[in-house]
Amino acid sequence: MLAPYAVQVTQSRGRRFAEAQHPYRNDFQRDRDRVIHARAFRRLEAKTQVFTRRYSDHFRNRLTHTLEVTQISRTIAGALALNVDLAEVLALVHDIGHPPFGHAGEKALDSAMRQHGLSFDHNLHALRIVEDFEQRYAAFRGLNLTFEVREGIIKHSHDYDANKHPDLVEYLLDQRPPLEAQLIDLTDEIAYNTADLDDGYESHLLSLDEIREGVPIFERFYREVAQIYPEAPQKLQFNETLKRVLNRLVDDLIKTTHKRIQDGGIQTLNDVRQYPSRLAAFSPAVDAERKQNKDFLYENLYFSPSLADEKDDAERVVTDLFDLWMSHPESLPHSYQDKAKEDSLPRVICDYIAGMTDHFIFEQHEKYCGG
Ligand code: MG
């Protein structure tokens, strides 16, 4: 039984190109499977989240991060009686527009575009992937996803200004997205805040003492765990602590969101859409702990000198290739040369680079720029 303010698949605004119903799967389940079968989804496996493969094969990459976000989102959506199928597909697709090399790659690509008066935005790129670049079906371009999934791609983490984005007008920019989409950004943060502590600790870039000192929510649960399992190996105490941090964030997000739904008098999906702010939220106390955790990761991991060389490499590789293809568009693959006849050259180069895996972009850099 879905809550009355959940998205009902039978009420979907549908697909761009009408399709017959599937005998076994509803439209959101089909969208989930279309995302999983997309080439861009499979490439997430070879894109950096925070750590490159140099560190370890068992650290998160964009794909395993995506799977963690998906499982957390399913739990939260289920507990709030929201549409779990919709939350699942939105989580699976949420990072599909990310370029190689994590945030360093995104920044470098955006800077390169800004030289030409343009910009790069991974949500807008994700929409281009599912609408245009993925070609699997004979009847239409792209994945022909339902409106609610496309809307969630655009609106899950960012409010776009309708004046600056007339191209997005169909996505109801003056309204809040459904709760299934609102959850994704917060779930994303729960996933990476905990996972990056884990990988940071395993990589020895973060020590247990540093984490205990810098992340109060971690310290609180660590003390609890050390009392219950005083003899357990340190790594298992660490894991037990992290599990409790994750549960705390999830539990608080569910309860706070539920309370805001009740306090706001929300009865229908339209009430969610018309509400003046997003309803999915942490409580102020837990939000402060979440922020301490995030700030700690920025200061001690994402901007750590140990990762600086790789970030510099990422920036250099993206910038070199972008500039090379700007001055030598004849070196682009023929399909991209054809695209450049209809779209601006910087945009076509940006699309090409954004789709690459870490491995492929290094190979291109070696080939065209001598590594
Ligand atoms: Mg993410």
Side-chain angles (χ1 to χ4, degrees), residues 87-323:
E88 183 175 25
V89 58
L90 290 177
L92 287 168
V93 82
H94 89 280
D95 269 351
I96 209 168
H98 267 286
F101 302 138
H103 284 281
E106 186 175 15
K107 227 179 94 200
L109 201 49
D110 186 56
S111 305
M113 286 295 272
R114 285 182 190 277
Q115 307 278 326
H116 304 279
L118 298 163
S119 60
F120 174 76
D121 174 307
H122 72 90
N123 290 337
L124 299 179
H125 187 69
L127 188 66
R128 289 158 70 78
I129 290 173
V130 303
E131 286 274 79
D132 193 21
F133 304 156
E134 286 291 326
Q135 294 188 50
R136 290 183 58 80
Y137 306 101
F140 44 77
R141 278 189 84 84
L143 304 181
N144 197 28
L145 301 177
T146 54
F147 172 85
E148 290 74 16
V149 173
R150 286 178 284 126
E151 180 198 21
I153 289 172
I154 289 301
K155 288 161 71 173
H156 74 273
S157 63
H158 189 77
D159 295 319
Y160 290 90
D161 180 347
N163 295 318
K164 289 188 192 144
H165 290 277
D167 49 318
L168 299 178
V169 68
E170 68 178 298
Y171 297 114
L172 318 171
L173 296 182
D174 56 334
Q175 296 181 14
R176 256 43 62 209
L179 284 158
E180 288 83 350
Q182 293 187 27
L183 288 177
I184 301 301
D185 198 39
L186 304 172
T187 308
D188 186 22
E189 200 169 319
I190 293 174
Y192 70 70
N193 271 345
T194 49
D196 294 346
L197 287 180
D198 189 23
D199 291 346
Y201 173 75
E202 286 252 325
S203 67
H204 303 292
L205 294 188
L206 301 174
S207 72
L208 180 61
D209 287 346
E210 277 174 325
I211 296 173
R212 288 182 58 188
E213 201 175 302
V215 186
I217 188 173
F218 184 93
E219 170 64 6
R220 200 149 42 79
F221 286 116
Y222 184 82
R223 284 166 185 262
E224 185 185 299
V225 166
Q227 280 194 342
I228 305 171
Y229 302 109
E231 305 300 328
Q234 193 188 79
K235 176 59 185 168
L236 297 187
Q237 290 182 334
F238 182 93
N239 290 351
E240 286 289 338
T241 306
L242 213 52
K243 181 183 94 172
R244 283 163 172 77
V245 172
L246 201 156
N247 279 329
R248 168 84 170 138
L249 294 167
V250 167
D251 181 65
D252 183 75
L253 178 55
I254 291 168
K255 287 181 176 149
T256 307
T257 302
H258 191 249
K259 183 166 188 312
R260 286 168 61 82
I261 290 167
Q262 288 191 319
D263 292 352
I266 303 299
Q267 304 279 344
T268 65
L269 174 58
N270 194 47
D271 292 344
V272 174
R273 289 188 170 283
Q274 300 298 336
Y275 202 69
S277 61
R278 291 179 182 236
L279 289 153
F282 296 105
S283 66
V286 169
D287 198 53
E289 292 182 319
R290 170 202 65 80
K291 191 166 178 312
Q292 287 165 334
N293 185 344
K294 186 174 181 168
D295 291 347
F296 173 85
L297 286 167
Y298 268 88
E299 276 167 42
N300 298 281
L301 187 64
Y302 308 147
F303 290 122
S304 103
S306 312
L307 295 181
D309 285 353
E310 273 164 334
K311 282 205 274 187
D312 292 347
D313 279 351
E315 205 179 302
R316 185 171 52 83
V317 166
V318 169
T319 311
D320 285 357
L321 280 171
F322 195 100
D323 293 346

Side-chain angles (χ1 to χ4, degrees), residues 17-54:
F17 307 96
E19 294 182 55
Q21 286 296 311
H22 192 277
Y24 305 123
R25 292 172 300 157
N26 71 41
D27 280 339
F28 294 151
Q29 291 168 342
R30 286 178 93 178
D31 283 1
R32 171 199 63 203
D33 297 348
R34 285 178 188 196
V35 167
I36 289 178
H37 285 95
R39 285 166 49 144
F41 183 79
R42 293 198 294 277
R43 288 197 302 265
L44 294 174
E45 192 259 341
K47 294 194 181 205
T48 294
Q49 176 71 14
V50 175
F51 290 96
T52 59
R53 280 278 158 81
R54 184 165 74 81

